[in-house]
Amino acid sequence: MTMPRRTAMILSATLLIALPSLGHAQDVRIGSIVIERPWTRATPEGARVGGGFFVLRNTGNEPDRLIGGTFPGAPRFEVHEMATVDGVMRMRELSGGLIIPPRGQVELKPGGYHVMFMDLTQPIRSGGRVKGTLVFERAGTVEVEYAVTAPGAPAPGGHGTMRH
């Protein structure tokens, strides 16, 4: 027995909308801030730090600032920047947070801006999802769900770089 074409098309469209793409976490919005594709890497047993990556898009007319967050098993959450200074790659905490310009976006990725989960009390396990929060100066606090990739992976689903 075959399904009528219209019913098959409606069913297919419904499934495409209802099922998020594999390996990607859901995008989240709070106020004018959109958090796209949050992800992290699994950590080996005994690792004391982990990193978080995503794109922050500001759809509003005022700047906002990522100032903190939480992550399970991490007593400290820091916003960091990696930059080359005098030919040497250096990492530092952004004590004032990370500005997201109005109508702009900032990509947090390995080797650039990122968040750090400090003093981990448990490893981050590959293949699942982990909930945490992000705190913005204007927009407030929002829960995000990080997709967890294998150690060293560039990003879920092979998306190593994204547009600026």
Side-chain angles (χ1 to χ4, degrees):
M1 180 187 300
T2 62
M3 193 182 314
R5 182 176 172 90
R6 178 174 164 79
T7 303
M9 288 175 59
I10 292 170
L11 179 60
S12 295
T14 302
L15 287 173
L16 286 174
I17 293 168
L19 296 174
S21 44
L22 292 174
H24 294 271
Q26 292 289 331
D27 294 352
V28 177
R29 180 183 197 98
I30 182 168
S32 64
I33 300 296
V34 179
I35 301 105
E36 298 176 350
R37 298 178 300 277
W39 66 282
T40 186
R41 292 179 176 139
T43 58
E45 201 68 43
R48 303 290 293 154
V49 297
F53 314 101
F54 39 85
V55 174
L56 295 174
R57 198 162 39 89
N58 185 348
T59 62
N61 294 320
E62 300 291 329
D64 205 339
R65 186 183 306 258
L66 174 64
I67 57 174
T70 63
F71 192 83
R76 288 185 13 237
F77 182 104
E78 297 177 357
V79 181
H80 280 221
E81 167 186 46
M82 287 189 78
T84 303
V85 179
D86 297 325
V88 177
M89 185 66 95
R90 299 177 191 248
M91 181 171 61
R92 70 179 181 100
E93 181 180 7
L94 296 174
S95 58
L98 177 61
I99 295 173
I100 307 103
R103 303 283 177 205
Q105 71 179 30
V106 179
E107 180 181 1
L108 285 79
K109 63 182 179 178
Y113 294 116
H114 59 281
V115 295
M116 294 288 296
F117 316 129
M118 308 296 288
D119 303 321
L120 288 172
T121 59
Q122 61 195 26
I124 302 170
R125 304 270 184 224
S126 188
R129 296 182 189 281
V130 180
K131 290 183 180 182
T133 65
L134 296 176
V135 180
F136 297 90
E137 188 173 67
R138 289 177 174 268
T141 301
V142 64
E143 186 175 272
V144 295
E145 189 173 73
Y146 295 88
V148 183
T149 67
H159 298 284
T161 59
M162 295 168 239
R163 69 186 188 281
H164 286 272

